[in-house]
Amino acid sequence: MIIKLAWRNLWRNKIRTTTMVCAMVFGLMGVVAMMGFMSGMYGNMIDNAIAWQVSHVQIQNQRYLDDQDINETLINPQPLIEALRTMPGVKAFSARFLVDGMIASARANRGIRINGVDSDAEAKVTPIAGSIIQGRWLLQEGRNPIVVSQKTAERLRLKLGSKVVLTFSNAHKDVTGAAFRVAGIFSSPSSGFDEANSYVRRSDLAKLAGVEGIHEIAVVLNESNNLDNRSALELAGQLSQLSDTGNRVRDWQQVQPLLATIISQMGATNAVILAIFVSAMGLGIVNVMLMSVFERTRELGVLMAIGMAKRQVFTLILLESTLLGITGATIGSLASLLLVTLLAQTGIPLGNMAQGLGAFGVDTTLYPSVSSNEYAAAFVTVILVSILASLYPARQILKQRPVDAMSQKH
């Protein structure tokens, strides 16, 4: 009975209630869309970093991590390689020979990391083979092919077939080098990665360096949710037991602590956005409830005078505010779900921000992502704030005596 009475009281002034519900709906849609945008951007940044740079797990010689000397290759890597071939959760892995050196054309030169890779294995670990915009990925035949990024090609004024000279310090600390020809040009979502990396065959690079072995094994998993690091941690633990104690096995959060920090702050960022919205919404509900209660002061005084307990009056006002919150939260959540689902299909093009996003390794089209927990948190928070917002108006009417309330003109 009291719920029915509260619902009717809520809609006595249809324009005012409808306006408040509309404000809650559009505000909630904006908040959820913003949360989805932030989550989508962070998720895209993490996905790209794992796909292009860090993989899920990396294995290096500990001394190589302390000082990237070309002679500090992995200690006894064969048991690790044999194990990775049979582990069910492993999608692919790539053994790399890494050198920091110079790349020079007839026009310019610049420092660069030279990645010596097995072309087939690397194509399964990173998306680089599918991101060739000119030419082709490294082939097994041909003399000294190299794949460079579009940014490197632009800075050194290179095109397909151009000759470049790679120079670096070999195993004896002597400067060595050789001429390579550009076989392919790639482009990744990260401008920093593009400017810093080039790819050659591992056999070509190891021969020039005069070093046998590999510096790094990069492993990717069949895991689709990169925000959950448990699979990578589990694999890293298994590989650590197989690896020589001089090697170090790291999951991607250890390789890139910044990514771990981003994940830990995603919840806090969304909480701040939601808090700003509910604060503004709470003030609006307080205003609506104050106007509603003050308009009915005399009526509520009469109800108390004829025997309605103050506890029941308090419950009535509380229910009115709760029903207002449930109505706004329900319609707003459904509208938000529809909006985010639509944007997740179409994407949000951010072409004008491509250069800035490229510095963070983010694609120029973002797809918002909102989890069911975030929808539930927004829904519950709106209702809780609605309930809290009714406490002050309820207190204003309950502290009056019935005779004083009935004497009010409004």
PDB file of all heavy atoms in Angstrom, residues 9 11 27 71 146 151 240-241 266 305 349:
ATOM      1  N   ASN A   9       2.604   9.534  -5.480  1.00  0.00           N
ATOM      2  CA  ASN A   9       3.143  10.838  -5.073  1.00  0.00           C
ATOM      3  C   ASN A   9       4.269  11.284  -5.988  1.00  0.00           C
ATOM      4  O   ASN A   9       4.408  12.470  -6.293  1.00  0.00           O
ATOM      5  CB  ASN A   9       3.672  10.759  -3.636  1.00  0.00           C
ATOM      6  CG  ASN A   9       2.553  10.728  -2.610  1.00  0.00           C
ATOM      7  OD1 ASN A   9       1.426  11.137  -2.901  1.00  0.00           O
ATOM      8  ND2 ASN A   9       2.845  10.213  -1.433  1.00  0.00           N
ATOM      9  N   TRP A  11       4.653  10.816  -9.089  1.00  0.00           N
ATOM     10  CA  TRP A  11       4.191  11.303 -10.401  1.00  0.00           C
ATOM     11  C   TRP A  11       3.077  12.350 -10.288  1.00  0.00           C
ATOM     12  O   TRP A  11       2.355  12.609 -11.256  1.00  0.00           O
ATOM     13  CB  TRP A  11       3.711  10.123 -11.241  1.00  0.00           C
ATOM     14  CG  TRP A  11       4.862   9.236 -11.621  1.00  0.00           C
ATOM     15  CD1 TRP A  11       5.227   8.070 -11.043  1.00  0.00           C
ATOM     16  CD2 TRP A  11       5.832   9.500 -12.640  1.00  0.00           C
ATOM     17  NE1 TRP A  11       6.364   7.565 -11.625  1.00  0.00           N
ATOM     18  CE2 TRP A  11       6.746   8.423 -12.626  1.00  0.00           C
ATOM     19  CE3 TRP A  11       6.025  10.529 -13.578  1.00  0.00           C
ATOM     20  CZ2 TRP A  11       7.837   8.352 -13.479  1.00  0.00           C
ATOM     21  CZ3 TRP A  11       7.090  10.460 -14.439  1.00  0.00           C
ATOM     22  CH2 TRP A  11       7.986   9.373 -14.385  1.00  0.00           C
ATOM     23  N   GLY A  27      22.618  11.494 -18.035  1.00  0.00           N
ATOM     24  CA  GLY A  27      23.862  11.537 -17.269  1.00  0.00           C
ATOM     25  C   GLY A  27      24.503  10.166 -17.153  1.00  0.00           C
ATOM     26  O   GLY A  27      25.724  10.009 -17.319  1.00  0.00           O
ATOM     27  N   ASN A  71      77.198 -10.632 -25.786  1.00  0.00           N
ATOM     28  CA  ASN A  71      77.663 -11.986 -25.445  1.00  0.00           C
ATOM     29  C   ASN A  71      76.782 -12.676 -24.401  1.00  0.00           C
ATOM     30  O   ASN A  71      76.941 -13.867 -24.152  1.00  0.00           O
ATOM     31  CB  ASN A  71      79.107 -11.918 -24.918  1.00  0.00           C
ATOM     32  CG  ASN A  71      80.078 -11.470 -25.997  1.00  0.00           C
ATOM     33  OD1 ASN A  71      80.209 -12.116 -27.023  1.00  0.00           O
ATOM     34  ND2 ASN A  71      80.740 -10.329 -25.769  1.00  0.00           N
ATOM     35  N   ILE A 146      65.962  -6.791 -45.067  1.00  0.00           N
ATOM     36  CA  ILE A 146      65.616  -6.087 -43.827  1.00  0.00           C
ATOM     37  C   ILE A 146      64.220  -5.508 -43.970  1.00  0.00           C
ATOM     38  O   ILE A 146      63.825  -5.071 -45.062  1.00  0.00           O
ATOM     39  CB  ILE A 146      66.642  -4.965 -43.496  1.00  0.00           C
ATOM     40  CG1 ILE A 146      66.308  -4.325 -42.150  1.00  0.00           C
ATOM     41  CG2 ILE A 146      66.701  -3.920 -44.601  1.00  0.00           C
ATOM     42  CD1 ILE A 146      67.369  -3.355 -41.651  1.00  0.00           C
ATOM     43  N   LYS A 151      58.026   4.910 -40.515  1.00  0.00           N
ATOM     44  CA  LYS A 151      58.673   6.109 -39.989  1.00  0.00           C
ATOM     45  C   LYS A 151      60.171   6.100 -40.266  1.00  0.00           C
ATOM     46  O   LYS A 151      60.751   7.138 -40.622  1.00  0.00           O
ATOM     47  CB  LYS A 151      58.416   6.214 -38.478  1.00  0.00           C
ATOM     48  CG  LYS A 151      56.999   6.629 -38.139  1.00  0.00           C
ATOM     49  CD  LYS A 151      56.849   6.929 -36.673  1.00  0.00           C
ATOM     50  CE  LYS A 151      55.445   7.442 -36.375  1.00  0.00           C
ATOM     51  NZ  LYS A 151      55.175   8.724 -37.059  1.00  0.00           N
ATOM     52  N   SER A 240      60.152 -21.171 -15.190  1.00  0.00           N
ATOM     53  CA  SER A 240      61.241 -20.886 -14.247  1.00  0.00           C
ATOM     54  C   SER A 240      61.832 -22.173 -13.686  1.00  0.00           C
ATOM     55  O   SER A 240      63.039 -22.270 -13.428  1.00  0.00           O
ATOM     56  CB  SER A 240      60.731 -20.008 -13.102  1.00  0.00           C
ATOM     57  OG  SER A 240      60.358 -18.732 -13.573  1.00  0.00           O
ATOM     58  N   GLN A 241      60.970 -23.190 -13.494  1.00  0.00           N
ATOM     59  CA  GLN A 241      61.456 -24.466 -12.966  1.00  0.00           C
ATOM     60  C   GLN A 241      62.307 -25.212 -13.987  1.00  0.00           C
ATOM     61  O   GLN A 241      63.159 -26.017 -13.620  1.00  0.00           O
ATOM     62  CB  GLN A 241      60.271 -25.322 -12.535  1.00  0.00           C
ATOM     63  CG  GLN A 241      59.464 -24.719 -11.379  1.00  0.00           C
ATOM     64  CD  GLN A 241      58.259 -25.562 -11.014  1.00  0.00           C
ATOM     65  OE1 GLN A 241      57.992 -26.574 -11.655  1.00  0.00           O
ATOM     66  NE2 GLN A 241      57.541 -25.149  -9.986  1.00  0.00           N
ATOM     67  N   MET A 266      42.618   1.627 -13.565  1.00  0.00           N
ATOM     68  CA  MET A 266      41.387   1.681 -14.356  1.00  0.00           C
ATOM     69  C   MET A 266      40.158   1.775 -13.460  1.00  0.00           C
ATOM     70  O   MET A 266      39.245   2.558 -13.711  1.00  0.00           O
ATOM     71  CB  MET A 266      41.295   0.432 -15.253  1.00  0.00           C
ATOM     72  CG  MET A 266      42.177   0.495 -16.475  1.00  0.00           C
ATOM     73  SD  MET A 266      42.136  -1.038 -17.428  1.00  0.00           S
ATOM     74  CE  MET A 266      40.406  -1.123 -17.879  1.00  0.00           C
ATOM     75  N   ALA A 305      -1.168  13.832  12.127  1.00  0.00           N
ATOM     76  CA  ALA A 305      -2.165  14.184  13.145  1.00  0.00           C
ATOM     77  C   ALA A 305      -3.230  13.110  13.290  1.00  0.00           C
ATOM     78  O   ALA A 305      -3.765  12.887  14.384  1.00  0.00           O
ATOM     79  CB  ALA A 305      -2.816  15.521  12.772  1.00  0.00           C
ATOM     80  N   PRO A 349      35.864   6.677 -34.283  1.00  0.00           N
ATOM     81  CA  PRO A 349      37.047   7.108 -35.036  1.00  0.00           C
ATOM     82  C   PRO A 349      37.705   8.320 -34.388  1.00  0.00           C
ATOM     83  O   PRO A 349      37.035   9.288 -34.036  1.00  0.00           O
ATOM     84  CB  PRO A 349      36.467   7.458 -36.418  1.00  0.00           C
ATOM     85  CG  PRO A 349      35.040   7.777 -36.171  1.00  0.00           C
ATOM     86  CD  PRO A 349      34.603   6.957 -34.986  1.00  0.00           C
TER      87      PRO A 349
END
